[in-house]
Amino acid sequence: MTGAEETSATRTGESGEGGAPRRSRKLLWWPATIAAVIALCLGVSALVAGGSDSGGSSAAAAPATDSPEAGFARDMATHHQQAIDMSFIVRDRTQDEEVRNLAFDIINTQANQRGMMSGWLDQWGLTQSTSAKPMAWMGHSYAAHDGSLMPGMATNTDLAKLRSLGGRDAEVLYLQLMIEHHKGGVAMAQAYVDVARNDVEKRLAQTMVNGQKSEIDLMTSMLAKRGAQPLS
């Protein structure tokens, strides 16, 4: 099942552990959708206002399709989408408020950021995807396997296992997978910060570094409460 299919299935499919009502699922989904739309609009506006590089030149001087700016926007958008998908999965497989709140925060934050990056690509007149290998813009070579396209991304096998679990078991696996996912995201965002020529996008990347490091600490403590540890 693809990421898009999983998202669709999560919105309209099974009721999940504990028989969560369908109405509740819809209420949780719509804020993320609205956030993504607003973020896309704000992201484009900020990009136009801030110029396309640190020198303050006009937005007409768009990054090239093989630039770090475009590569980071595309790859992090893909990376974010899986975090959103995993969070929808666990949200319907536990009644634990702490984990559900974390999942909801990740859904909204990363949908917001994904909308900004997609909006920038549109503003630059660039496609949302290319045939280039993921993270080629940072000289990174990753052996994609079983649906894991970039460092930290869960495999299809991991996601299938997460869908099969409920309660504490689902919480633990979700936290373990998301910690690894965040580690990969932090490394990619920091790599962009180090080479960025676009101040607006650089600020977003730094926000990701700071925010996801904080969430790694939080999730590590949440695992400890459940008598478990990170995978690495």
Side-chain angles (χ1 to χ4, degrees), residues 37 54 59 102 118 153 183 210 224:
V37 173
S54 59
L102 172 66
S118 295
M153 290 186 70
K183 287 179 179 178
N210 298 341

Side-chain angles (χ1 to χ4, degrees), residues 13-157:
E14 72 264 56
S15 61
E17 292 295 320
R22 193 178 298 270
R23 180 172 179 270
S24 175
R25 295 157 62 87
K26 290 180 180 179
L27 287 175
L28 285 172
W29 166 248
W30 279 106
T33 304
I34 294 170
V37 173
I38 293 174
L40 190 153
C41 296
L42 292 177
V44 170
S45 299
L47 192 66
V48 172
S52 66
D53 58 32
S54 59
S57 59
S58 73
T65 192
D66 60 350
S67 66
E69 283 66 37
F72 173 72
R74 291 185 181 114
D75 288 347
M76 190 57 85
T78 297
H79 209 267
H80 272 21
Q81 185 59 55
Q82 189 185 72
I84 294 167
D85 292 344
M86 286 196 294
S87 297
F88 273 119
I89 292 172
V90 78
R91 185 205 64 181
D92 296 327
R93 281 158 178 77
T94 179
Q95 293 302 312
D96 184 272
E97 286 303 311
E98 185 180 35
V99 174
R100 285 172 63 87
N101 287 338
L102 172 66
F104 187 52
D105 287 344
I106 289 175
I107 289 168
N108 278 276
T109 298
Q110 299 211 10
N112 183 309
Q113 293 173 347
R114 192 177 189 281
M116 293 178 73
M117 292 180 288
S118 295
W120 292 339
L121 289 167
D122 285 341
Q123 176 66 21
W124 296 331
L126 302 176
T127 58
Q128 296 291 322
S129 63
T130 68
S131 59
K133 291 184 178 180
M135 302 175 77
W137 57 272
M138 55 183 286
H140 198 292
S141 178
Y142 179 72
H145 61 285
D146 192 21
S148 177
L149 304 178
M150 288 171 268
M153 290 186 70
T155 63
N156 292 331
T157 301

